mmCIF file of all heavy atoms in Angstrom:
data_model
loop_
_atom_site.group_PDB
_atom_site.id
_atom_site.type_symbol
_atom_site.label_atom_id
_atom_site.label_comp_id
_atom_site.label_asym_id
_atom_site.label_seq_id
_atom_site.Cartn_x
_atom_site.Cartn_y
_atom_site.Cartn_z
ATOM 1 N N LYS A 1 0.825 -1.249 -0.025
ATOM 2 C CA LYS A 1 0.025 0.016 0.032
ATOM 3 C C LYS A 1 0.852 1.339 0.047
ATOM 4 O O LYS A 1 0.426 2.232 -0.672
ATOM 5 C CB LYS A 1 -0.929 0.003 1.238
ATOM 6 C CG LYS A 1 -1.978 -1.046 1.174
ATOM 7 C CD LYS A 1 -2.806 -1.135 2.463
ATOM 8 C CE LYS A 1 -3.690 0.087 2.573
ATOM 9 N NZ LYS A 1 -4.636 0.026 3.785
ATOM 10 N N ILE A 2 2.020 1.286 0.739
ATOM 11 C CA ILE A 2 2.773 2.421 0.794
ATOM 12 C C ILE A 2 3.744 2.426 -0.414
ATOM 13 O O ILE A 2 4.300 1.339 -0.823
ATOM 14 C CB ILE A 2 3.655 2.405 2.167
ATOM 15 C CG1 ILE A 2 2.767 2.698 3.304
ATOM 16 C CG2 ILE A 2 4.814 3.409 2.050
ATOM 17 C CD1 ILE A 2 3.451 2.639 4.680
ATOM 18 N N ASP A 3 3.903 3.581 -0.958
ATOM 19 C CA ASP A 3 4.839 3.812 -1.974
ATOM 20 C C ASP A 3 6.182 4.038 -1.359
ATOM 21 O O ASP A 3 6.601 5.119 -0.943
ATOM 22 C CB ASP A 3 4.493 5.018 -2.972
ATOM 23 C CG ASP A 3 5.557 5.210 -4.020
ATOM 24 O OD1 ASP A 3 6.565 4.545 -4.097
ATOM 25 O OD2 ASP A 3 5.238 6.156 -4.801
ATOM 26 N N TRP A 4 7.046 2.939 -1.236
ATOM 27 C CA TRP A 4 8.289 2.943 -0.529
ATOM 28 C C TRP A 4 9.299 3.876 -1.223
ATOM 29 O O TRP A 4 10.292 4.059 -0.590
ATOM 30 C CB TRP A 4 8.726 1.533 -0.285
ATOM 31 C CG TRP A 4 7.784 0.833 0.643
ATOM 32 C CD1 TRP A 4 6.839 -0.058 0.398
ATOM 33 C CD2 TRP A 4 7.764 0.967 2.118
ATOM 34 N NE1 TRP A 4 6.149 -0.414 1.537
ATOM 35 C CE2 TRP A 4 6.733 0.153 2.569
ATOM 36 C CE3 TRP A 4 8.527 1.723 3.012
ATOM 37 C CZ2 TRP A 4 6.407 0.185 3.939
ATOM 38 C CZ3 TRP A 4 8.229 1.514 4.421
ATOM 39 C CH2 TRP A 4 7.205 0.749 4.796
ATOM 40 N N ASN A 5 9.141 4.129 -2.498
ATOM 41 C CA ASN A 5 10.099 5.063 -3.032
ATOM 42 C C ASN A 5 9.990 6.434 -2.420
ATOM 43 O O ASN A 5 10.957 7.264 -2.504
ATOM 44 C CB ASN A 5 9.704 5.296 -4.499
ATOM 45 C CG ASN A 5 9.895 3.953 -5.248
ATOM 46 O OD1 ASN A 5 11.120 3.416 -5.358
ATOM 47 N ND2 ASN A 5 8.883 3.412 -5.974
ATOM 48 N N LYS A 6 8.934 6.862 -1.775
ATOM 49 C CA LYS A 6 8.768 8.032 -1.079
ATOM 50 C C LYS A 6 9.483 8.190 0.223
ATOM 51 O O LYS A 6 9.630 9.239 0.774
ATOM 52 C CB LYS A 6 7.187 8.360 -0.862
ATOM 53 C CG LYS A 6 6.453 8.543 -2.113
ATOM 54 C CD LYS A 6 5.042 8.930 -1.656
ATOM 55 C CE LYS A 6 4.134 9.440 -2.876
ATOM 56 N NZ LYS A 6 2.734 9.905 -2.272
ATOM 57 N N ILE A 7 9.620 7.007 0.878
ATOM 58 C CA ILE A 7 10.002 6.880 2.305
ATOM 59 C C ILE A 7 11.478 7.047 2.336
ATOM 60 O O ILE A 7 12.282 6.269 1.735
ATOM 61 C CB ILE A 7 9.513 5.637 2.909
ATOM 62 C CG1 ILE A 7 7.932 5.430 2.713
ATOM 63 C CG2 ILE A 7 9.878 5.559 4.438
ATOM 64 C CD1 ILE A 7 7.206 6.487 3.239
ATOM 65 N N HIS A 8 12.054 7.825 3.207
ATOM 66 C CA HIS A 8 13.418 7.921 3.597
ATOM 67 C C HIS A 8 13.599 7.618 5.006
ATOM 68 O O HIS A 8 12.976 8.325 5.946
ATOM 69 C CB HIS A 8 14.026 9.310 3.235
ATOM 70 C CG HIS A 8 14.293 9.492 1.769
ATOM 71 N ND1 HIS A 8 15.510 9.456 1.184
ATOM 72 C CD2 HIS A 8 13.498 9.661 0.767
ATOM 73 C CE1 HIS A 8 15.325 9.551 -0.173
ATOM 74 N NE2 HIS A 8 14.142 9.813 -0.448
ATOM 75 N N LEU A 9 14.469 6.690 5.381
ATOM 76 C CA LEU A 9 14.587 6.304 6.723
ATOM 77 C C LEU A 9 15.890 6.751 7.334
ATOM 78 O O LEU A 9 16.968 6.605 6.727
ATOM 79 C CB LEU A 9 14.550 4.703 6.887
ATOM 80 C CG LEU A 9 13.249 4.030 6.431
ATOM 81 C CD1 LEU A 9 13.333 2.484 6.510
ATOM 82 C CD2 LEU A 9 12.090 4.495 7.099
ATOM 83 N N TYR A 10 15.823 7.193 8.574
ATOM 84 C CA TYR A 10 16.942 7.612 9.322
ATOM 85 C C TYR A 10 16.802 7.035 10.746
ATOM 86 O O TYR A 10 15.844 6.357 11.076
ATOM 87 C CB TYR A 10 16.983 9.211 9.447
ATOM 88 C CG TYR A 10 17.161 9.961 8.224
ATOM 89 C CD1 TYR A 10 15.891 10.158 7.268
ATOM 90 C CD2 TYR A 10 18.233 10.394 7.762
ATOM 91 C CE1 TYR A 10 16.062 10.867 6.129
ATOM 92 C CE2 TYR A 10 18.394 11.145 6.475
ATOM 93 C CZ TYR A 10 17.276 11.250 5.689
ATOM 94 O OH TYR A 10 17.409 11.952 4.532
ATOM 95 N N TRP A 11 17.719 7.426 11.663
ATOM 96 C CA TRP A 11 17.677 6.868 12.963
ATOM 97 C C TRP A 11 17.965 7.850 13.974
ATOM 98 O O TRP A 11 18.816 8.719 13.847
ATOM 99 C CB TRP A 11 18.726 5.741 13.217
ATOM 100 C CG TRP A 11 18.176 4.465 12.530
ATOM 101 C CD1 TRP A 11 17.588 3.360 13.256
ATOM 102 C CD2 TRP A 11 18.153 4.025 11.295
ATOM 103 N NE1 TRP A 11 17.149 2.464 12.388
ATOM 104 C CE2 TRP A 11 17.572 2.806 11.163
ATOM 105 C CE3 TRP A 11 18.617 4.617 9.989
ATOM 106 C CZ2 TRP A 11 17.329 2.052 10.005
ATOM 107 C CZ3 TRP A 11 18.349 3.976 8.923
ATOM 108 C CH2 TRP A 11 17.697 2.716 8.823
ATOM 109 N N GLY A 12 17.153 7.915 15.060
ATOM 110 C CA GLY A 12 17.188 9.012 16.130
ATOM 111 C C GLY A 12 18.541 8.732 16.857
ATOM 112 O O GLY A 12 19.024 9.711 17.453
ATOM 113 N N ASP A 13 18.875 7.539 17.060
ATOM 114 C CA ASP A 13 20.121 7.243 17.723
ATOM 115 C C ASP A 13 20.560 5.817 17.306
ATOM 116 O O ASP A 13 19.880 5.013 16.748
ATOM 117 C CB ASP A 13 19.946 7.182 19.244
ATOM 118 C CG ASP A 13 19.053 6.246 19.803
ATOM 119 O OD1 ASP A 13 18.034 5.842 19.258
ATOM 120 O OD2 ASP A 13 19.332 5.730 20.909
ATOM 121 N N GLU A 14 21.819 5.579 17.576
ATOM 122 C CA GLU A 14 22.341 4.213 17.238
ATOM 123 C C GLU A 14 23.457 3.955 18.206
ATOM 124 O O GLU A 14 24.258 4.754 18.545
ATOM 125 C CB GLU A 14 22.994 4.268 15.729
ATOM 126 C CG GLU A 14 23.499 2.891 15.237
ATOM 127 C CD GLU A 14 22.510 1.806 15.222
ATOM 128 O OE1 GLU A 14 22.293 1.202 16.389
ATOM 129 O OE2 GLU A 14 21.920 1.539 14.246
ATOM 130 N N ARG A 15 23.654 2.677 18.482
ATOM 131 C CA ARG A 15 24.740 2.171 19.274
ATOM 132 C C ARG A 15 26.016 1.965 18.399
ATOM 133 O O ARG A 15 25.825 1.706 17.183
ATOM 134 C CB ARG A 15 24.277 0.787 19.859
ATOM 135 C CG ARG A 15 23.229 0.928 20.799
ATOM 136 C CD ARG A 15 22.695 -0.547 21.133
ATOM 137 N NE ARG A 15 21.700 -0.491 22.162
ATOM 138 C CZ ARG A 15 20.320 -0.453 21.981
ATOM 139 N NH1 ARG A 15 19.927 -0.470 20.650
ATOM 140 N NH2 ARG A 15 19.465 -0.447 23.022
ATOM 141 N N CYS A 16 27.152 2.268 18.832
ATOM 142 C CA CYS A 16 28.386 2.168 18.109
ATOM 143 C C CYS A 16 28.828 0.603 18.049
ATOM 144 O O CYS A 16 29.727 0.269 18.634
ATOM 145 C CB CYS A 16 29.462 3.008 18.671
ATOM 146 S SG CYS A 16 29.117 4.754 18.418
ATOM 147 N N VAL A 17 28.036 -0.026 17.197
ATOM 148 C CA VAL A 17 28.312 -1.407 16.879
ATOM 149 C C VAL A 17 28.177 -1.661 15.338
ATOM 150 O O VAL A 17 27.577 -0.782 14.681
ATOM 151 C CB VAL A 17 27.375 -2.342 17.701
ATOM 152 C CG1 VAL A 17 27.517 -2.304 19.098
ATOM 153 C CG2 VAL A 17 25.770 -2.119 17.165
ATOM 154 N N PRO A 18 28.702 -2.756 14.804
ATOM 155 C CA PRO A 18 28.598 -2.912 13.310
ATOM 156 C C PRO A 18 27.147 -3.173 13.040
ATOM 157 O O PRO A 18 26.264 -3.454 13.923
ATOM 158 C CB PRO A 18 29.375 -4.259 13.113
ATOM 159 C CG PRO A 18 30.289 -4.428 14.315
ATOM 160 C CD PRO A 18 29.583 -3.779 15.501
ATOM 161 N N PRO A 19 26.765 -2.960 11.807
ATOM 162 C CA PRO A 19 25.273 -2.990 11.311
ATOM 163 C C PRO A 19 24.698 -4.408 11.439
ATOM 164 O O PRO A 19 23.592 -4.608 11.182
ATOM 165 C CB PRO A 19 25.456 -2.551 9.859
ATOM 166 C CG PRO A 19 26.760 -2.714 9.447
ATOM 167 C CD PRO A 19 27.608 -2.456 10.669
ATOM 168 N N THR A 20 25.624 -5.416 11.509
ATOM 169 C CA THR A 20 25.084 -6.749 11.728
ATOM 170 C C THR A 20 25.020 -7.174 13.160
ATOM 171 O O THR A 20 24.606 -8.298 13.413
ATOM 172 C CB THR A 20 26.057 -7.724 10.993
ATOM 173 O OG1 THR A 20 27.333 -7.534 11.440
ATOM 174 C CG2 THR A 20 25.999 -7.535 9.485
ATOM 175 N N HIS A 21 25.305 -6.316 14.065
ATOM 176 C CA HIS A 21 25.292 -6.707 15.467
ATOM 177 C C HIS A 21 23.831 -6.778 16.055
ATOM 178 O O HIS A 21 23.063 -5.913 15.682
ATOM 179 C CB HIS A 21 25.995 -5.592 16.258
ATOM 180 C CG HIS A 21 26.505 -5.953 17.681
ATOM 181 N ND1 HIS A 21 25.553 -5.949 18.700
ATOM 182 C CD2 HIS A 21 27.647 -6.438 18.194
ATOM 183 C CE1 HIS A 21 26.219 -6.390 19.852
ATOM 184 N NE2 HIS A 21 27.417 -6.660 19.400
ATOM 185 N N ASP A 22 23.555 -7.585 16.979
ATOM 186 C CA ASP A 22 22.221 -7.790 17.438
ATOM 187 C C ASP A 22 21.710 -6.538 18.105
ATOM 188 O O ASP A 22 20.550 -6.345 18.428
ATOM 189 C CB ASP A 22 22.099 -8.954 18.427
ATOM 190 C CG ASP A 22 22.157 -10.330 17.577
ATOM 191 O OD1 ASP A 22 21.758 -10.282 16.354
ATOM 192 O OD2 ASP A 22 22.393 -11.393 18.175
ATOM 193 N N GLU A 23 22.612 -5.728 18.733
ATOM 194 C CA GLU A 23 22.205 -4.447 19.449
ATOM 195 C C GLU A 23 22.048 -3.138 18.468
ATOM 196 O O GLU A 23 21.634 -2.168 19.005
ATOM 197 C CB GLU A 23 23.298 -4.181 20.470
ATOM 198 C CG GLU A 23 23.333 -5.222 21.655
ATOM 199 C CD GLU A 23 24.172 -4.794 22.778
ATOM 200 O OE1 GLU A 23 24.852 -3.587 22.671
ATOM 201 O OE2 GLU A 23 24.384 -5.434 23.711
ATOM 202 N N SER A 24 22.325 -3.467 17.249
ATOM 203 C CA SER A 24 22.139 -2.420 16.310
ATOM 204 C C SER A 24 20.604 -2.012 16.004
ATOM 205 O O SER A 24 19.863 -2.927 15.709
ATOM 206 C CB SER A 24 22.832 -2.702 14.913
ATOM 207 O OG SER A 24 22.455 -1.857 13.941
ATOM 208 N N ASN A 25 20.322 -0.765 16.180
ATOM 209 C CA ASN A 25 18.902 -0.422 15.876
ATOM 210 C C ASN A 25 18.706 -0.580 14.358
ATOM 211 O O ASN A 25 17.556 -0.863 13.938
ATOM 212 C CB ASN A 25 18.577 1.070 16.229
ATOM 213 C CG ASN A 25 18.551 1.325 17.769
ATOM 214 O OD1 ASN A 25 18.249 0.354 18.435
ATOM 215 N ND2 ASN A 25 18.762 2.462 18.192
ATOM 216 N N TYR A 26 19.704 -0.254 13.552
ATOM 217 C CA TYR A 26 19.627 -0.475 11.997
ATOM 218 C C TYR A 26 19.265 -1.942 11.737
ATOM 219 O O TYR A 26 18.342 -2.192 10.989
ATOM 220 C CB TYR A 26 20.952 -0.072 11.417
ATOM 221 C CG TYR A 26 21.062 -0.488 10.021
ATOM 222 C CD1 TYR A 26 20.273 0.125 8.976
ATOM 223 C CD2 TYR A 26 21.875 -1.595 9.539
ATOM 224 C CE1 TYR A 26 20.400 -0.229 7.674
ATOM 225 C CE2 TYR A 26 21.879 -1.996 8.271
ATOM 226 C CZ TYR A 26 21.187 -1.350 7.347
ATOM 227 O OH TYR A 26 21.279 -1.707 5.998
ATOM 228 N N LYS A 27 20.107 -2.867 12.336
ATOM 229 C CA LYS A 27 19.743 -4.319 12.097
ATOM 230 C C LYS A 27 18.338 -4.853 12.459
ATOM 231 O O LYS A 27 17.694 -5.409 11.804
ATOM 232 C CB LYS A 27 20.800 -5.157 12.805
ATOM 233 C CG LYS A 27 20.515 -6.677 12.613
ATOM 234 C CD LYS A 27 21.530 -7.531 13.501
ATOM 235 C CE LYS A 27 21.347 -9.096 13.122
ATOM 236 N NZ LYS A 27 20.068 -9.644 13.320
ATOM 237 N N MET A 28 17.772 -4.161 13.609
ATOM 238 C CA MET A 28 16.559 -4.542 13.986
ATOM 239 C C MET A 28 15.468 -4.029 12.922
ATOM 240 O O MET A 28 14.529 -4.673 12.534
ATOM 241 C CB MET A 28 16.110 -3.831 15.341
ATOM 242 C CG MET A 28 14.816 -4.339 15.878
ATOM 243 S SD MET A 28 13.457 -3.139 15.520
ATOM 244 C CE MET A 28 13.723 -1.808 16.744
ATOM 245 N N THR A 29 15.747 -2.846 12.319
ATOM 246 C CA THR A 29 14.836 -2.292 11.241
ATOM 247 C C THR A 29 14.988 -3.164 10.031
ATOM 248 O O THR A 29 13.964 -3.368 9.297
ATOM 249 C CB THR A 29 15.206 -0.925 11.023
ATOM 250 O OG1 THR A 29 15.314 -0.113 12.187
ATOM 251 C CG2 THR A 29 14.214 -0.198 10.179
ATOM 252 N N VAL A 30 16.163 -3.540 9.760
ATOM 253 C CA VAL A 30 16.459 -4.407 8.642
ATOM 254 C C VAL A 30 15.639 -5.721 8.683
ATOM 255 O O VAL A 30 14.948 -6.148 7.824
ATOM 256 C CB VAL A 30 17.906 -4.761 8.435
ATOM 257 C CG1 VAL A 30 18.109 -5.923 7.339
ATOM 258 C CG2 VAL A 30 18.713 -3.503 7.999
ATOM 259 N N ASP A 31 15.805 -6.445 9.837
ATOM 260 C CA ASP A 31 15.197 -7.673 10.147
ATOM 261 C C ASP A 31 13.511 -7.616 10.115
ATOM 262 O O ASP A 31 12.969 -8.488 9.594
ATOM 263 C CB ASP A 31 15.594 -8.283 11.439
ATOM 264 C CG ASP A 31 16.973 -8.638 11.389
ATOM 265 O OD1 ASP A 31 17.561 -8.701 10.362
ATOM 266 O OD2 ASP A 31 17.586 -8.795 12.537
ATOM 267 N N HIS A 32 12.944 -6.487 10.571
ATOM 268 C CA HIS A 32 11.580 -6.353 10.783
ATOM 269 C C HIS A 32 10.859 -5.536 9.627
ATOM 270 O O HIS A 32 9.686 -5.611 9.562
ATOM 271 C CB HIS A 32 11.190 -5.861 12.112
ATOM 272 C CG HIS A 32 11.547 -6.761 13.247
ATOM 273 N ND1 HIS A 32 10.704 -7.697 13.760
ATOM 274 C CD2 HIS A 32 12.680 -7.128 13.874
ATOM 275 C CE1 HIS A 32 11.198 -8.392 14.610
ATOM 276 N NE2 HIS A 32 12.370 -8.146 14.806
ATOM 277 N N LEU A 33 11.672 -4.758 8.955
ATOM 278 C CA LEU A 33 10.965 -3.944 7.932
ATOM 279 C C LEU A 33 11.679 -3.819 6.602
ATOM 280 O O LEU A 33 11.055 -4.228 5.526
ATOM 281 C CB LEU A 33 10.816 -2.511 8.439
ATOM 282 C CG LEU A 33 10.295 -1.557 7.513
ATOM 283 C CD1 LEU A 33 8.726 -1.892 7.193
ATOM 284 C CD2 LEU A 33 10.233 -0.154 8.122
ATOM 285 N N ILE A 34 12.989 -3.485 6.567
ATOM 286 C CA ILE A 34 13.624 -3.151 5.379
ATOM 287 C C ILE A 34 13.739 -4.428 4.483
ATOM 288 O O ILE A 34 13.528 -4.272 3.182
ATOM 289 C CB ILE A 34 15.006 -2.656 5.677
ATOM 290 C CG1 ILE A 34 14.993 -1.144 6.305
ATOM 291 C CG2 ILE A 34 15.899 -2.497 4.328
ATOM 292 C CD1 ILE A 34 16.202 -0.620 6.751
ATOM 293 N N ASN A 35 13.988 -5.539 5.019
ATOM 294 C CA ASN A 35 14.056 -6.749 4.217
ATOM 295 C C ASN A 35 12.697 -7.296 3.652
ATOM 296 O O ASN A 35 12.734 -8.227 2.696
ATOM 297 C CB ASN A 35 14.764 -7.868 4.981
ATOM 298 C CG ASN A 35 16.248 -7.883 5.031
ATOM 299 O OD1 ASN A 35 16.874 -7.005 4.323
ATOM 300 N ND2 ASN A 35 16.861 -8.572 5.842
ATOM 301 N N LYS A 36 11.614 -6.643 4.137
ATOM 302 C CA LYS A 36 10.319 -7.142 3.753
ATOM 303 C C LYS A 36 9.631 -6.218 2.923
ATOM 304 O O LYS A 36 8.392 -6.495 2.463
ATOM 305 C CB LYS A 36 9.538 -7.497 5.037
ATOM 306 C CG LYS A 36 10.167 -8.456 5.941
ATOM 307 C CD LYS A 36 9.390 -8.732 7.190
ATOM 308 C CE LYS A 36 10.164 -9.687 8.169
ATOM 309 N NZ LYS A 36 9.449 -10.004 9.378
ATOM 310 N N VAL A 37 10.185 -5.039 2.492
ATOM 311 C CA VAL A 37 9.550 -4.045 1.636
ATOM 312 C C VAL A 37 10.462 -3.658 0.540
ATOM 313 O O VAL A 37 11.689 -3.939 0.679
ATOM 314 C CB VAL A 37 8.993 -2.881 2.331
ATOM 315 C CG1 VAL A 37 7.905 -3.245 3.503
ATOM 316 C CG2 VAL A 37 10.081 -2.119 3.085
ATOM 317 N N THR A 38 9.931 -3.036 -0.455
ATOM 318 C CA THR A 38 10.766 -2.719 -1.633
ATOM 319 C C THR A 38 11.190 -1.271 -1.522
ATOM 320 O O THR A 38 10.802 -0.333 -2.319
ATOM 321 C CB THR A 38 10.075 -2.894 -2.966
ATOM 322 O OG1 THR A 38 8.731 -2.286 -2.888
ATOM 323 C CG2 THR A 38 9.791 -4.342 -3.265
ATOM 324 N N ILE A 39 11.960 -0.835 -0.544
ATOM 325 C CA ILE A 39 12.579 0.387 -0.386
ATOM 326 C C ILE A 39 13.854 0.576 -0.993
ATOM 327 O O ILE A 39 14.747 -0.285 -0.780
ATOM 328 C CB ILE A 39 12.515 0.876 1.172
ATOM 329 C CG1 ILE A 39 13.020 2.321 1.332
ATOM 330 C CG2 ILE A 39 13.491 -0.078 1.980
ATOM 331 C CD1 ILE A 39 12.760 2.777 2.774
ATOM 332 N N PRO A 40 14.119 1.633 -1.862
ATOM 333 C CA PRO A 40 15.340 1.845 -2.490
ATOM 334 C C PRO A 40 16.480 1.973 -1.404
ATOM 335 O O PRO A 40 16.349 2.539 -0.491
ATOM 336 C CB PRO A 40 15.233 3.096 -3.284
ATOM 337 C CG PRO A 40 13.726 3.248 -3.473
ATOM 338 C CD PRO A 40 13.115 2.744 -2.208
ATOM 339 N N LYS A 41 17.675 1.314 -1.801
ATOM 340 C CA LYS A 41 18.815 1.387 -0.845
ATOM 341 C C LYS A 41 19.177 2.792 -0.596
ATOM 342 O O LYS A 41 19.633 3.174 0.484
ATOM 343 C CB LYS A 41 19.938 0.604 -1.462
ATOM 344 C CG LYS A 41 19.800 -0.859 -1.432
ATOM 345 C CD LYS A 41 21.132 -1.552 -1.820
ATOM 346 C CE LYS A 41 20.942 -3.036 -1.751
ATOM 347 N NZ LYS A 41 22.253 -3.830 -2.250
ATOM 348 N N GLU A 42 19.048 3.634 -1.572
ATOM 349 C CA GLU A 42 19.519 5.016 -1.422
ATOM 350 C C GLU A 42 18.612 5.929 -0.490
ATOM 351 O O GLU A 42 18.883 7.077 -0.166
ATOM 352 C CB GLU A 42 19.725 5.734 -2.803
ATOM 353 C CG GLU A 42 18.416 5.866 -3.481
ATOM 354 C CD GLU A 42 18.244 4.679 -4.576
ATOM 355 O OE1 GLU A 42 18.830 3.624 -4.298
ATOM 356 O OE2 GLU A 42 17.498 4.773 -5.532
ATOM 357 N N ASN A 43 17.556 5.340 -0.122
ATOM 358 C CA ASN A 43 16.578 5.928 0.763
ATOM 359 C C ASN A 43 16.822 5.627 2.333
ATOM 360 O O ASN A 43 16.068 6.002 3.217
ATOM 361 C CB ASN A 43 15.122 5.621 0.487
ATOM 362 C CG ASN A 43 14.588 6.164 -0.816
ATOM 363 O OD1 ASN A 43 15.409 6.598 -1.715
ATOM 364 N ND2 ASN A 43 13.290 6.155 -0.948
ATOM 365 N N ILE A 44 17.884 4.852 2.476
ATOM 366 C CA ILE A 44 18.258 4.311 3.845
ATOM 367 C C ILE A 44 19.477 5.080 4.338
ATOM 368 O O ILE A 44 20.539 4.812 3.618
ATOM 369 C CB ILE A 44 18.372 2.789 3.837
ATOM 370 C CG1 ILE A 44 17.079 2.035 3.407
ATOM 371 C CG2 ILE A 44 18.831 2.278 5.219
ATOM 372 C CD1 ILE A 44 17.182 0.689 2.952
ATOM 373 N N HIS A 45 19.316 5.863 5.286
ATOM 374 C CA HIS A 45 20.347 6.655 5.844
ATOM 375 C C HIS A 45 20.831 6.240 7.248
ATOM 376 O O HIS A 45 20.410 6.909 8.228
ATOM 377 C CB HIS A 45 20.052 8.117 5.782
ATOM 378 C CG HIS A 45 19.302 8.541 4.436
ATOM 379 N ND1 HIS A 45 20.056 8.832 3.328
ATOM 380 C CD2 HIS A 45 18.010 8.562 4.078
ATOM 381 C CE1 HIS A 45 19.161 9.145 2.313
ATOM 382 N NE2 HIS A 45 17.975 9.001 2.764
ATOM 383 N N ARG A 46 21.636 5.264 7.283
ATOM 384 C CA ARG A 46 21.969 4.791 8.612
ATOM 385 C C ARG A 46 23.216 5.460 9.223
ATOM 386 O O ARG A 46 23.973 6.168 8.554
ATOM 387 C CB ARG A 46 22.356 3.166 8.480
ATOM 388 C CG ARG A 46 23.645 2.815 7.910
ATOM 389 C CD ARG A 46 23.853 1.351 7.902
ATOM 390 N NE ARG A 46 25.217 0.994 7.333
ATOM 391 C CZ ARG A 46 26.303 0.880 8.121
ATOM 392 N NH1 ARG A 46 26.325 1.164 9.310
ATOM 393 N NH2 ARG A 46 27.418 0.507 7.473
ATOM 394 N N VAL A 47 23.364 5.172 10.468
ATOM 395 C CA VAL A 47 24.529 5.650 11.294
ATOM 396 C C VAL A 47 25.587 4.639 11.113
ATOM 397 O O VAL A 47 25.262 3.503 11.284
ATOM 398 C CB VAL A 47 24.230 5.826 12.718
ATOM 399 C CG1 VAL A 47 25.450 6.425 13.471
ATOM 400 C CG2 VAL A 47 23.032 6.917 12.912
#
């Protein structure tokens, strides 16, 4: 339903860990959202 081309994702805070680390807020978003929708890579602005 959402046009994911419109959506740009950022993070309000992030732990200083690699993006594959279980404590990473980015990884949590990847696992629960980013990997399940068709959002362009350039719309994802991680720490």
